[in-house]
Amino acid sequence: MGSWELAQRWAEALDGVVAPTLTRTQIEEMLAALCTGLIDAARGGDDPDVARQAARMLVAVNYRDPAAVSRSVRVICEDLVVVAADGPADPALPEIRGRAVGLAADFAAGFTAALRSAALAEHEATLAATLAAAREAESRRALSEARFEAVFDGALVGIGTVDMTGRVVNCNATMAEMLGQTPETMPGRTVADILGPDNLNYAFEQLQLMVAGETDSFRTETEHVRTDGRTTAIDLSMSAVRDTEGSIQFMIGVAVDVTERKQLADRLWHEANHDALTGLPNRPHLFGRLTCAGPPIGVCYLDLDGFKEINDLWGHSVGDRVLRVVADRMREAVRPTGALAARIGGDEFLVLVENCSGEPQLVDLADKLLAALTTPLEMDGHMLAVGVSIGVAFFEELPTDTDELVHAADAAMYRKKNDARRDPAR
């Protein structure tokens, strides 16, 4: 399967997501060109922008549904790997898979950025049209009011006006829906009353500055807790509308519901920073946390003993289930301490303790982990035992090289393992 077949597979995966601006043949030709670059990148090419460029092109031809991301990520992580690798025995297959995951993450980030840019462009265009209509009202009131009413009522973005006392003059149905209200219940009420105490944040503070005439506009992204308990993420722009004398007559706000985009970004962040099998934080997440951990810090380095034999005897599916049970037990064991448990390799784990009181605390935590993880577990009617070796390391100050911290705990773990081999009674 080459770039053209991969493009056809991708086009088929995207079929039905939206109504694109291109024909199926044009879509396949566009994707084929993108696939050539992605295949090269998966094989080690040096184009850092190829995945983001692919995302931008999809958004440009109207693929703007979040489903386009999940379906494209599946193609990149699965079909692209098959194309880029020289068969399942290719020694470069693990590296290709790793690059494909990176390309998928870049694609998702690029898609989110392109989607935001497109939404903001439409947002700005709507705001400009609305402000232009408001200014024209002074000279051609009747016609401009009719145009404004059409834009106001039919807009897919929320639009509302507020007078100089902070009370809502009117709003369209979209704005009311975002705030959990109706167009009939909002006019005459103060912004503070509509938002409620949980939402009196930066946006409300900026609105007060506008009412006082200290600023002309502001823009912010804020979360609004509705009366039904739902939380809506809103991209809000507010502008002051002045008369010919320069005095502010009223304020107009344009809002875009970006809840789905924010949820998508949060989900993609979680997937990029957590192990897919166990759900624990992964190695990059752990190392990122280490760079800003609060000293003194301690770590427990865990290596499962006999796990290879479980895989060899019972198969990798059972081994994966064992790893998930181990992860669950680790979470429960460290939960009272507030420590962070992460998976950093195949059967290797690390627990980070911030503001650690000293080695006795780490030894106590290691004992709890040992007791939790070595308790036999049942798999398909069989009792399996998992051994574990644990090494601990304590640092008064955060090391400048985070690898130093991990290596210290790793060395302590291997010393324990070697001591146990020399003296099995220990």
Side-chain angles (χ1 to χ4, degrees):
M1 183 169 62
S3 60
W4 181 253
E5 290 78 8
L6 179 59
Q8 290 178 315
R9 186 76 60 86
W10 196 352
E12 182 179 351
L14 293 174
D15 191 30
V17 175
V18 293
T21 57
L22 303 178
T23 66
R24 177 59 177 266
T25 300
Q26 291 172 321
I27 291 170
E28 291 178 353
E29 291 174 349
M30 177 192 74
L31 293 177
L34 297 174
C35 287
T36 300
L38 289 172
I39 292 170
D40 180 65
R43 291 172 175 167
D46 57 358
D47 185 354
D49 197 48
V50 61
R52 293 175 183 267
Q53 179 185 3
R56 290 193 293 268
M57 291 189 69
L58 287 185
V59 172
V61 297
N62 204 39
Y63 283 105
R64 301 186 181 184
D65 191 286
V69 179
S70 60
R71 297 185 188 184
S72 296
V73 166
R74 188 180 300 275
V75 170
I76 294 172
C77 290
E78 296 177 359
D79 298 319
L80 175 60
V81 172
V82 174
V83 174
D86 188 15
D90 189 344
L93 185 59
E95 295 179 3
I96 291 173
R97 284 201 182 102
R99 294 189 194 107
V101 170
L103 289 169
D106 284 346
F107 177 89
F111 190 93
T112 301
L115 198 61
R116 176 180 175 82
S117 295
L120 292 182
E122 295 174 359
H123 182 173
E124 296 291 348
T126 301
L127 179 59
T130 303
L131 291 174
R135 296 188 186 100
E136 189 181 1
E138 293 296 325
S139 58
R140 303 178 62 188
R141 184 176 301 276
L143 181 59
S144 65
E145 285 183 356
R147 290 174 176 171
F148 179 79
E149 200 69 27
V151 172
F152 189 87
D153 293 335
L156 296 179
V157 297
I159 304 174
T161 56
V162 180
D163 66 19
M164 294 306 294
T165 68
R167 294 183 180 274
V168 176
V169 178
N170 59 1
C171 72
N172 65 1
T174 304
M175 175 71 85
E177 168 60 23
M178 286 184 197
L179 300 177
Q181 306 286 333
T182 66
E184 293 75 27
T185 60
M186 289 183 62
R189 297 173 60 187
T190 64
V191 173
D193 177 43
I194 294 171
L195 293 180
D198 292 336
N199 299 290
L200 297 181
N201 51 17
Y202 172 81
F204 184 72
E205 294 173 2
Q206 291 299 307
L207 182 63
Q208 289 179 307
L209 293 177
M210 289 182 65
V211 170
E214 298 182 25
T215 61
D216 279 342
S217 64
F218 73 89
R219 180 176 182 174
T220 185
E221 187 172 302
T222 182
E223 289 190 348
H224 174 76
V225 181
R226 296 156 43 114
T227 55
D228 59 8
R230 290 169 50 198
T231 299
T232 304
I234 298 174
D235 189 317
L236 174 67
S237 294
M238 292 290 296
S239 297
V241 178
R242 299 178 180 272
D243 60 17
T244 55
E245 303 296 325
S247 300
I248 298 178
Q249 296 299 293
F250 60 93
M251 294 163 289
I252 186 165
V254 178
V256 177
D257 187 337
V258 294
T259 306
E260 290 187 1
R261 176 188 60 76
K262 189 173 186 302
Q263 290 172 344
L264 173 62
D266 292 343
R267 185 170 68 252
L268 291 173
W269 181 92
H270 184 274
E271 291 173 357
N273 287 272
H274 290 77
D275 176 52
L277 177 63
T278 64
L280 291 175
N282 58 18
R283 190 182 187 92
H285 186 179
L286 171 68
F287 275 59
R289 179 75 170 267
L290 282 172
T291 60
C292 57
I297 63 172
V299 293
C300 299
Y301 192 102
L302 296 84
D303 180 73
L304 301 185
D305 298 327
F307 181 71
K308 181 179 183 301
E309 287 74 12
I310 292 177
N311 273 336
D312 293 342
L313 183 61
W314 301 101
H316 288 279
S317 62
V318 171
D320 287 347
R321 290 163 61 189
V322 169
L323 288 175
R324 284 193 285 268
V325 172
V326 167
D328 290 340
R329 291 181 177 182
M330 286 185 65
R331 287 191 192 91
E332 291 302 315
V334 306
R335 192 186 306 278
T337 68
L340 174 73
R343 183 186 181 195
I344 61 174
D347 61 351
E348 297 176 327
F349 300 83
L350 190 141
V351 176
L352 169 65
V353 182
E354 298 186 56
N355 302 308
C356 182
S357 61
E359 288 196 11
Q361 179 185 0
L362 295 176
V363 172
D364 181 64
L365 178 58
D367 290 340
K368 289 183 172 61
L369 288 166
L370 186 65
L373 300 184
T374 56
T375 302
L377 52 95
E378 183 178 352
M379 288 287 170
D380 299 331
H382 300 281
M383 299 301 294
L384 303 181
V386 178
V388 60
S389 297
I390 305 177
V392 301
F394 174 73
F395 292 82
E396 290 283 358
E397 300 293 335
L398 190 65
T400 55
D401 184 1
T402 54
D403 284 333
E404 175 187 342
L405 183 149
V406 177
H407 290 158
D410 185 25
M413 183 272 295
Y414 275 104
R415 285 196 299 272
K416 279 196 171 184
K417 186 174 290 193
N418 291 332
D419 289 345
R421 288 169 181 164
R422 289 193 296 269
D423 184 4
R426 293 179 60 152

